[in-house]
Amino acid sequence: SCRLFINTDGGLGPLAAAAGTTTITVLGPTSPAVTAPYGKKNTAITPGLDCAPCYMYPYESTSPRIKCEAPACMGIIDINKFKEAVRSHLGPGRG
C-alpha cells in the first residue's frame, strides 16, 4: 500500500513493481536494462559513467564479477537527480 518504493539493485524492486507500486532503483555497476523494474512509472538512477554497467554481460558464470577493484560508481550517484525523481513521483511539496 506504499506510494513509492526506493531500493537498490535487488529482487525487491521488481517485486514491488509487479505489485503495482512505483519504484526508484539506485544502480551502480549493474545494467538498468537487465535488473531495474520494468514499466513507465519506475525510475532507475545510474552514475552515468562510460564504464557502467561494468558487470560482465551476458553473465559468463553464475558468479559475475565487477571489472574494477572497487566500484566507485556508488559513491557518485547524483543526490539531486535522486531527490528530483522522488519529488516527481510523490508530487509538489513532498519528498
Side-chain angles (χ1 to χ4, degrees):
S1 65
C2 64
R3 293 181 55 208
L4 179 65
F5 184 78
I6 299 171
N7 68 113
T8 58
D9 181 17
L12 294 179
L15 182 62
T21 302
T22 300
T23 67
I24 297 175
T25 304
V26 180
L27 301 167
T30 56
S31 170
V34 176
T35 59
Y38 297 119
K40 291 182 180 180
K41 64 183 200 171
N42 302 304
T43 301
I45 306 291
T46 63
L49 297 173
D50 290 338
C51 60
C54 64
Y55 274 126
M56 293 179 275
Y57 286 109
Y59 289 136
E60 296 173 2
S61 72
T62 57
S63 300
R65 291 191 167 80
I66 297 173
K67 292 179 182 177
C68 57
E69 289 188 28
C73 54
M74 292 307 289
I76 61 166
I77 296 292
D78 186 343
I79 191 68
N80 291 323
K81 186 176 177 182
F82 174 77
K83 287 179 181 179
E84 182 55 38
V86 170
R87 283 188 202 104
S88 72
H89 286 297
L90 293 180
R94 304 189 115 173

